């Protein structure tokens, strides 16, 4: 049976399951109790008061982290002509149409985000078996289907992340690296909170955000004070 390391257990011993933290306090605790030598990812998770079986209560959206994600985002763009040229100029890593369709059809998934022009989507949708399970299918709701490929590429490169509710009504969003300053992490976390709050479905009644937890890759989760997400 797998067990946590000494540093994790030491950090966990300082926690009380009933204790709630301010955003500042949670970030400070996580930064002071790193349990690994690698740069861990900071994550914020929400338990939502929605019915995940109802389509009109689905929660999904995107947020641009003001201080970036801390990782190099690899972008593939399905486009032709001027839209393809604009994507290349904006810094896209892979750009093309027929050639990219064939490459992905062959199993290539060496990218973090896929963007497509509306015209290209007729063919891109046929790649559902490859892109769908990996969450890479372009979608107008996340800004990854657009004729303005340059803006879409720049937004992804700058730190735009997508969030979507799982089948249990939970949303988890990475919001930076633990090597970021506390202020940078706080700014990113607040951007995520605001985005999730704004994504509240009109059909959702009662308490929307039931519980919020901050954690890093190998650290215990810290329960956030409900007032931070009110």
């Amino acid at each position: 049976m797998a067990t946590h390391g000494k540093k994790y257990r030491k950090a966990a011993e300082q926690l009380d399951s009933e204790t709630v933290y301010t955003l500042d306090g949670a970030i400070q605790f996580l930064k002071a109790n790193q349990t690994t030598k690698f740069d861990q990812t900071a994550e914020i998770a929400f338990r939502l008061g929605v019915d995940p079986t109802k389509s009109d209560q689905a929660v999904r959206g995107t947020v641009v982290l003001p201080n970036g994600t801390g990782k190099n985002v690899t972008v593939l763009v399905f486009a032709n002509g001027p839209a393809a040229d604009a994507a290349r100029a904006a810094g896209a890593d892979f750009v093309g149409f027929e050639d990219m369709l064939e490459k992905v059809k062959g199993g290539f998934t060496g990218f973090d985000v896929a963007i497509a022009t509306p015209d290209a989507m007729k063919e891109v949708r046929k790649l559902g078996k490859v892109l769908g399970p990996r969450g890479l299918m372009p979608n107008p709701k996340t800004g990854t289907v657009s004729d303005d490929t340059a803006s879409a590429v720049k937004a992804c490169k700058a730190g735009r992340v997508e969030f979507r509710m799982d089948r249990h009504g939970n949303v988890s969003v990475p919001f930076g690296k633990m090597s970021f300053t506390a202020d940078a992490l706080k700014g990113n976390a607040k951007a995520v909170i605001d985005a999730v709050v704004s994504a509240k479905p009109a059909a959702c009644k009662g308490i929307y955000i039931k519980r919020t937890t901050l954690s890093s890759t190998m650290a215990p989760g810290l329960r956030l004070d409900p007032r931070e997400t009110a």
Side-chain angles (χ1 to χ4, degrees), residues 50-70:
V50 299
D51 185 343
T53 66
K54 296 183 178 179
S55 60
D56 62 352
Q57 293 190 38
V59 175
R60 181 176 185 176
T62 60
V63 56
V64 176
L65 302 180
N67 300 296
T69 62

Side-chain angles (χ1 to χ4, degrees), residues 23-24 27 39-46 62-71 155 157-161 163 172-197 212 214-215 224 228-229:
L23 187 55
D24 283 322
I27 290 172
D39 193 6
Q40 298 182 51
T41 297
E43 185 173 278
I44 184 168
F46 304 86
T62 60
V63 56
V64 176
L65 302 180
N67 300 296
T69 62
K71 65 176 289 188
K157 290 285 189 178
R160 182 173 66 187
V161 295
F163 60 86
S172 296
V173 189
F175 66 96
K177 295 291 186 178
M178 293 310 300
S179 59
F180 286 14
T181 66
D183 285 343
L185 285 172
K186 182 179 180 180
N188 282 358
K190 286 182 67 66
V192 173
I193 291 171
D194 290 344
V196 172
V197 169
T212 308
L214 257 67
S215 64
L224 205 62
E228 296 282 4
T229 57

Side-chain angles (χ1 to χ4, degrees), residues 27-219:
I27 290 172
Q28 289 171 6
F29 181 95
L30 290 174
K31 286 186 70 66
N33 290 276
Q34 292 301 287
T35 60
T36 64
K37 294 181 179 180
F38 68 86
D39 193 6
Q40 298 182 51
T41 297
E43 185 173 278
I44 184 168
F46 304 86
R47 174 61 176 168
L48 303 180
V50 299
D51 185 343
T53 66
K54 296 183 178 179
S55 60
D56 62 352
Q57 293 190 38
V59 175
R60 181 176 185 176
T62 60
V63 56
V64 176
L65 302 180
N67 300 296
T69 62
K71 65 176 289 188
N72 180 38
V73 180
T74 303
V75 179
L76 180 150
V77 179
F78 295 100
N80 270 320
D85 294 336
R88 292 188 186 94
D93 301 275
F94 305 99
V95 182
F97 188 51
E98 289 87 355
D99 56 338
M100 285 297 110
L101 289 172
E102 287 301 317
K103 192 169 184 176
V104 174
K105 190 181 298 183
F108 174 66
T109 56
F111 50 94
D112 301 302
V113 180
I115 296 170
T117 59
D119 288 345
M121 281 304 295
K122 181 178 179 180
E123 296 300 322
V124 174
R125 289 192 186 94
K126 297 176 182 179
L127 302 175
K129 291 184 178 180
V130 179
L131 299 177
R134 296 169 176 80
L136 295 172
M137 179 63 73
N139 190 306
K141 294 181 179 180
T142 62
T144 50
V145 176
S146 174
D147 281 317
D148 188 355
T149 54
S151 294
V153 169
K154 289 176 181 177
C156 292
K157 290 285 189 178
R160 182 173 66 187
V161 295
E162 179 181 353
F163 60 86
R164 63 192 305 175
M165 179 181 71
D166 66 17
R167 62 191 180 91
H168 300 295
N170 302 311
V171 170
S172 296
V173 189
F175 66 96
K177 295 291 186 178
M178 293 310 300
S179 59
F180 286 14
T181 66
D183 285 343
L185 285 172
K186 182 179 180 180
N188 282 358
K190 286 182 67 66
V192 173
I193 291 171
D194 290 344
V196 172
V197 169
S198 296
K200 178 182 179 180
C204 175
K205 306 300 180 184
I207 298 175
Y208 173 49
I209 296 180
K210 290 187 172 182
R211 188 182 184 114
T212 308
T213 304
L214 257 67
S215 64
S216 56
T217 306
M218 301 295 289

